[in-house]
Amino acid sequence: MFADHVKIYLRSGKGGDGHVSFRRELYVPAGGPNGGDGGRGGDIIFQVDEGLNTLSDFRHMQKFCAQNGEDGRKNRCHGSDGEDLVIKVPEGTVIREAESGLVIADMSLDNRRQVILKGGRGGNGNQHYATPTMQAPKYAQPGQPGQGLYVTLELKMIAQVGLVGFPNVGKSTFLSRVTNARPKIANYHFTTLVPNLGVVDLPGGGGFVIADIPGIIEGASEGVGLGLEFLRHIERTRVLVHMVDAAGSEGRDPVDDINKINAELEAYKPEILDKPQVIAANKIDVIPPGEENENLSRLRGEFEPKGIKVYPISAVSGQGVKELLYALKGLLDQAGSEPEVYEPEYVPSTVRAEDPYTVTVDEDGVYVVEGPRIEKMLGYTNLESEKGFDFFQKFLKSNGILDDLEKLGIKDGDTVRIYGLQFDYYK
């Protein structure tokens, strides 16, 4: 099944913890600390894959985690860096922060590969904390946590011209005539269930990419049918081509069809109607020669005064097609042929991953601080030494824990308990 909108969870790798160890060798009386550093956590990277044209694979896998860095080891051995996770997506994929909808990256045109989440930095081993007054530090730095983020992926095709119209008016036939695309064509409604792209090459150089947007029906902007799945592909286009059945072979009113489609486009995103538009009045090959077609007259009378030119064509015979293509090239030259690219609005690298902890007051008025990273830090830190206790205080301050205690109303002399450790608070 075609998919062009999914929500997934990303997490970069955690940095490895620094190691606490000491050199213990015969005939080396003052070996000193030799704990190695932790490795860097893996990054989350998005990369364009030319062979993909849908987000279907993400329907089955929605959680992506990069590898954690290895912990440091003794003898100053550095832990291995975690492997980056490269996620391949089709060109035109827009990555947004799920809650706010802000754009993180647009994988289009020159942007083929981008780091979305950086892995955590590895922690320093205890070898870095030796000083003349503290020659045997019994603590090391834990690795930074990875970053977690929910994102949505939206596939918006890269095309300068969007071909829109109700089902079975000849859009796929037209695309197969003017490009190398080979969409499925048949004489029944909703044949096209995926957008199709094709490149138009014009004699004398120049050309453009055209997208056949599957049949839009009334209520598409409200999610009726597959409306929203298709409407988003129109957003990048610079010029719109309304294709209608001028011969009336389907029993449809072409003027009413265009008005209904424009109403859906306006309801979805009003600025889409600011794009230049033309009308391809298709199937003139079945109109008897020499007759002034009523539908053509009505189309011209209704839309040409509004600046929307009508081009009679036959997608089957090719009649009028060349004139339409050169008209589209002229409009693109005026409007700018580069498809719209979305600018970044959200930078995940500025968002620290969550460091879960709780700060509460028990029934005895004791302030209780708990959390897995705090507990791990206690295991690394020698609180009996002055430097170790200072190191732990800095950790509480840099992680916002002291600020949270003050928000709860802690005062000088109040008791704070952190697992098995209990001390009096003084600012």
Side-chain angles (χ1 to χ4, degrees):
M1 180 179 176
F2 181 75
D4 59 1
H5 188 275
V6 294
K7 180 179 178 180
I8 61 175
Y9 178 74
L10 309 175
R11 174 165 283 282
S12 59
K14 173 191 174 299
D17 296 330
H19 189 68
V20 176
S21 63
F22 299 90
R23 187 176 179 186
R24 304 291 188 213
E25 296 180 38
L26 193 62
Y27 311 120
V28 184
N34 70 349
D37 301 342
R40 176 188 62 83
D43 298 338
I44 296 288
I45 301 172
F46 277 77
Q47 180 174 306
V48 171
D49 186 334
E50 305 289 352
L52 297 177
N53 58 12
T54 175
L55 300 174
S56 326
D57 293 344
F58 295 95
R59 290 280 175 90
H60 310 292
M61 185 174 181
Q62 297 177 330
K63 185 177 182 179
F64 297 83
C65 300
Q67 190 177 46
N68 294 333
E70 284 189 347
D71 294 343
R73 297 186 291 277
K74 63 181 181 179
N75 296 327
R76 301 179 184 269
C77 289
H78 194 291
S80 299
D81 291 341
E83 287 188 18
D84 297 334
L85 178 62
V86 178
I87 301 173
K88 295 183 178 181
V89 293
E91 183 177 11
T93 299
V94 179
I95 306 165
R96 298 178 184 270
E97 196 275 324
E99 186 174 349
S100 66
L102 297 176
V103 175
I104 298 172
D106 187 349
M107 307 304 295
S108 305
L109 302 182
D110 295 333
N111 189 23
R112 318 304 289 180
R113 182 182 173 96
Q114 183 167 337
V115 177
I116 301 299
L117 293 180
K118 295 286 292 182
R121 188 177 65 244
N124 291 328
N126 69 331
Q127 59 174 311
H128 295 279
Y129 300 107
T131 67
T133 57
M134 174 59 67
Q135 298 183 9
K138 297 180 180 178
Y139 50 84
Q141 184 183 36
Q144 284 187 344
Q147 294 176 290
L149 188 67
Y150 280 98
V151 300
T152 58
L153 306 182
E154 287 183 333
L155 178 57
K156 299 176 187 285
M157 285 191 165
I158 302 295
Q160 289 103 329
V161 175
L163 191 60
V164 297
F166 274 81
N168 214 28
V169 295
K171 298 191 303 297
S172 297
T173 303
F174 175 77
L175 190 71
S176 66
R177 168 167 284 280
V178 302
T179 73
N180 288 326
R182 292 293 174 262
K184 182 180 178 183
I185 301 170
N187 189 29
Y188 51 88
H189 295 307
F190 298 105
T191 300
T192 304
L193 292 179
V194 299
N196 290 299
L197 284 179
V199 179
V200 175
D201 289 318
L202 296 176
F208 51 86
V209 178
I210 188 168
D212 167 18
I213 310 298
I216 297 172
I217 60 176
E218 291 179 84
S221 59
E222 300 172 358
V224 174
L226 297 175
L228 291 177
E229 299 291 316
F230 301 145
L231 282 169
R232 62 174 54 94
H233 295 291
I234 299 174
E235 292 184 41
R236 291 191 194 270
T237 58
R238 306 300 254 181
V239 176
L240 293 180
V241 179
H242 287 275
M243 183 158 285
V244 293
D245 176 8
S249 58
E250 291 290 315
R252 303 194 62 89
D253 181 347
V255 173
D256 186 53
D257 283 356
I258 294 173
N259 287 330
K260 286 177 178 176
I261 287 176
N262 276 340
E264 293 302 325
L265 297 179
E266 183 176 23
Y268 175 70
K269 206 167 191 179
E271 52 267 36
I272 290 178
L273 294 186
D274 295 334
K275 303 176 188 288
Q277 300 182 34
V278 300
I279 296 170
N282 193 25
K283 303 189 181 181
I284 61 170
D285 54 300
V286 300
I287 299 174
E291 288 189 16
E292 175 60 28
N293 181 264
E294 180 186 351
N295 285 333
L296 278 175
S297 299
R298 291 177 58 236
L299 286 167
R300 288 188 173 119
E302 177 74 18
F303 295 106
E304 289 196 342
K306 301 175 183 177
I308 303 175
K309 191 167 175 56
V310 178
Y311 291 88
I313 69 163
S314 169
V316 172
S317 70
Q319 182 181 349
V321 169
K322 180 191 277 189
E323 291 80 0
L324 173 60
L325 295 180
Y326 276 103
L328 292 175
K329 184 64 171 66
L331 289 173
L332 286 172
D333 290 342
Q334 295 173 24
S337 59
E338 285 296 325
E340 181 181 359
V341 175
Y342 295 86
E343 295 297 325
E345 303 167 320
Y346 184 95
V347 183
S349 59
T350 64
V351 181
R352 288 295 306 273
E354 64 274 12
D355 295 330
Y357 64 84
T358 59
V359 180
T360 58
V361 184
D362 68 11
E363 56 188 14
D364 297 323
V366 175
Y367 291 80
V368 180
V369 180
E370 294 180 329
R373 191 168 181 229
I374 298 171
E375 186 177 21
K376 198 168 190 178
M377 172 63 85
L378 284 173
Y380 284 120
T381 308
N382 178 16
L383 297 179
E384 295 179 0
S385 71
E386 181 181 348
K387 189 172 181 66
F389 193 77
D390 182 61
F391 182 82
F392 187 64
Q393 282 186 306
K394 289 179 179 178
F395 168 83
L396 296 180
K397 184 175 181 180
S398 63
N399 284 273
I401 296 171
L402 294 184
D403 290 338
D404 288 342
L405 286 168
E406 290 179 5
K407 288 177 183 176
L408 283 179
I410 195 169
K411 297 180 177 59
D412 286 354
D414 287 345
T415 302
V416 178
R417 184 172 67 246
I418 303 179
Y419 292 99
L421 174 69
Q422 188 163 297
F423 57 89
D424 294 333
Y425 173 85
Y426 290 97
K427 190 170 182 178

